[in-house]
Amino acid sequence: MNNFNEELWMFLEKISNGEHFALSRFGDGELTVINKKEFDVKYNWSGTTDKEFSYKINNSKYEFSRKLLEESYLSDLDGYYKGIPCHCCQLGNKAKELFYKIENKKYLTWANIFVNGNYADFNNYLPSVLEGKKIIMVSNENSNVKALPFKVLEHIKIKENAWVDNLEEIENIKDIIDVYELSDVVVLIAGGPFANIAIHQLWKWSQNNTYIDIGSTLDVYLYGKHTRMYHAENNPMHHKQCIWLDE
């Protein structure tokens, strides 16, 4: 595994060169749901919490989505990158357990690949990397994509608990790509576990595009404010260089 910043630049160069890949990032919330533990805090889009979704046990609708989420985590398709928590953030030695349980490690990366100490480079260089690309943005219905520092071809609007309530939007993305006969599209998704499910389903469907779980990295533009600690230059998280495994 390369160091934290080098890994970021690997992905930025792939985007710039038009190399297709999928990147799905799994944090502690997604892993909690996969392990069938109730998760019931929704992000209220004011920046006051860091949770984006809920999970109710013993509920058929939630269980259907949970299985799709689990499938996206277990998948080992070529070109399908999975970001998992690093040793230094939150999980400690549990990160090692996650790492060693995954048999095919070829496409593993940091769940934090775009944030913390990588955020400044990501934020500064993403617009130029995306210049001239065909971009579909998937984000909350209250987000303002016109404020983004790059042009968006299409905005797919989702709700707060989209991983349960808006799965139909995955087919909508496919339809847009098909109807307009698009290829080499970059699909950016900000939507908690909806992103994990959608990116996996889309990569299975077509590998002629790039699908990226963008998380909260564009919130400063989409909502006009900092919503995470790493967004602020004076916060220690903005400068934190994550480590993969503390061997």
Side-chain angles (χ1 to χ4, degrees), residues 40-106:
D40 194 21
V41 183
K42 289 186 184 179
Y43 182 52
N44 63 10
W45 306 102
S46 68
T48 57
T49 86
D50 62 355
K51 306 301 182 186
E52 300 179 344
F53 56 94
S54 65
Y55 167 62
K56 305 289 186 181
I57 60 175
N58 300 321
N59 181 302
S60 59
K61 183 170 68 170
Y62 278 88
E63 181 59 17
F64 177 80
S65 291
R66 191 204 66 79
K67 287 180 179 179
L68 289 176
L69 181 62
E70 183 176 36
E71 180 185 334
S72 72
Y73 178 69
L74 296 175
S75 178
D76 61 357
L77 296 171
D78 285 341
Y80 177 71
Y81 288 86
K82 291 186 288 189
I84 61 174
C86 49
H87 180 271
C88 64
C89 289
Q90 299 179 3
L91 291 180
N93 285 331
K94 290 184 179 179
K96 288 185 179 181
E97 295 176 14
L98 290 171
F99 175 78
Y100 289 118
K101 284 181 179 178
I102 297 174
E103 186 173 343
N104 183 1
K105 297 175 175 57
K106 181 178 180 180

Side-chain angles (χ1 to χ4, degrees), residues 4-46:
F4 192 46
N5 192 248
E6 288 176 352
E7 188 83 351
L8 167 68
W9 278 100
M10 179 194 75
F11 285 113
L12 291 178
E13 288 173 6
K14 283 180 180 291
I15 299 169
S16 179
N17 295 335
E19 182 179 344
H20 301 144
F21 66 93
L23 172 55
S24 183
R25 301 186 298 119
F26 296 85
D28 60 330
E30 287 80 13
L31 294 173
T32 295
V33 171
I34 288 171
N35 289 323
K36 300 183 180 181
K37 296 179 180 179
E38 190 154 305
F39 194 85
D40 194 21
V41 183
K42 289 186 184 179
Y43 182 52
N44 63 10
W45 306 102
S46 68

